[in-house]
Each structure stands twice: as structure tokens, then as C-alpha cells.
């Protein structure tokens, strides 16, 4: 039973777009599993609710941490994002080199409706700067759709 709940939590967490959502889902699954082990069905419900709230609060802190990292890495990038402007290739490089997770960078590109028509030279530049292939693939896909 516990292994099943952990497997479900892993699937849900890996598909969630925000740290808040990930925290809430993971907290809910862990809370439900713990509650079920301790008190049965009613314990699972209470554990799930408590876990979702606690996990969601933890997720909020992670999103704020990402923003702090981005502000240190490139204040201009954060300003551009706050205005809703598309991210430039330089922005993506700075975010990546600043240690912002891939999922967060992709989410920010989605939020700012950034789209890219990358040349081979730009792709090489992103690769040379250490931007992950996941981000580069996402950027390429925005120009194809």
C-alpha cells in the first residue's frame, strides 16, 4: 500500500507545473498514506488534507527562492518577466547559469509567451553556456508550433 502511494505521488509530482502544486500533491499523498496506516480510512482523509496544506506552504517557499536566485543572477531578466516581455536567449542563459531549475525556466518562458526560432549558432551558444537540452528542446519546439 505504501509503495503504491509513493508511486502515485512520484507520478503526480513529476507532472506538476509549480513548486506549490508539487508540494501540495506530495504532502497530500504522504499525509494520506500516513493517516491510513495510523487510523484507517478516516485517517487517510485527515492526513491528506493536512499534508496538502503543509506541502503547499513548503512549495511557496521554493517559488520565492527561485525568484531570489533569479534576482541575483539577472535583475534585468526579472524586470523583463515582471512586465510580461518574452525572455531573450541571454535571459535563458543567465537563469540557467544562476541555478534556476529547468522546470522553472520553462514555466517562466510559458508565462511570458516566449517563442524562439533558433539558428544552429544560437543552439550551440546555449549548449556552450550550459543550458540543459530539455530547455533547448522546449525553445526549439516553440518555434515549430
Amino acid at each position: 500500500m505504501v509503495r503504491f502511494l509513493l508511486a502515485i505521488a512520484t507520478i503526480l509530482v513529476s507532472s506538476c507545473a509549480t513548486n506549490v502544486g508539487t508540494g501540495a500533491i506530495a504532502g497530500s499523498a504522504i499525509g494520506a498514506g500516513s493517516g491510513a496506516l495510523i487510523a484507517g480510512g478516516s485517517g487517510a482523509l485527515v492526513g491528506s488534507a493536512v499534508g496538502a496544506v503543509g506541502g503547499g506552504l513548503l512549495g511557496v517557499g521554493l517559488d520565492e527562492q527561485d525568484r531570489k536566485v533569479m534576482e541575483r543572477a539577472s535583475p534585468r531578466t526579472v524586470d523583463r518577466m515582471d512586465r510580461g516581455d518574452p525572455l531573450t536567449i541571454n535571459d535563458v542563459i543567465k537563469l540557467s547559469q544562476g541555478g534556476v531549475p529547468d522546470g522553472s525556466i520553462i514555466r517562466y518562458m510559458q508565462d511570458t509567451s516566449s517563442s524562439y526560432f533558433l539558428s544552429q549558432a544560437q543552439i550551440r551558444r546555449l549548449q556552450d553556456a550550459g543550458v540543459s537540452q530539455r530547455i533547448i528542446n522546449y525553445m526549439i519546439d516553440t518555434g515549430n508550433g
Side-chain angles (χ1 to χ4, degrees):
M1 173 70 165
V2 172
R3 288 183 183 161
F4 174 74
L5 288 173
L6 288 175
I8 295 297
T10 301
I11 291 167
L12 291 172
V13 166
S14 66
S15 66
C16 195
T18 67
N19 291 326
V20 174
T22 299
I25 290 170
S28 179
I30 292 169
S34 299
L37 288 174
I38 294 169
S42 63
L45 182 61
V46 171
S48 176
V50 170
V53 171
L57 291 175
L58 178 61
V60 169
L62 293 174
D63 284 336
E64 289 174 14
Q65 183 62 32
D66 285 347
R67 183 170 178 88
K68 287 179 184 176
V69 167
M70 291 186 310
E71 286 173 345
R72 281 194 307 273
S74 179
R76 287 184 180 171
T77 299
V78 175
D79 289 342
R80 191 176 344 277
M81 290 168 41
D82 288 344
R83 290 190 310 266
D85 294 342
L87 296 177
T88 67
I89 292 172
N90 285 338
D91 293 332
V92 173
I93 290 170
K94 289 182 183 198
L95 292 170
S96 182
Q97 290 177 341
V100 175
D102 290 357
S104 295
I105 294 172
I106 290 171
R107 185 175 66 248
Y108 296 132
M109 286 191 285
Q110 291 169 338
D111 290 347
T112 58
S113 300
S114 302
S115 60
Y116 306 89
F117 299 92
L118 301 176
S119 68
Q120 286 299 322
Q122 290 170 318
I123 292 170
R124 277 192 302 278
R125 181 171 170 233
L126 289 162
Q127 291 169 333
D128 291 345
V131 175
S132 77
Q133 195 61 47
R134 178 178 173 207
I135 292 172
I136 295 169
N137 289 343
Y138 175 82
M139 294 172 75
I140 291 168
D141 288 344
T142 64
N144 293 330

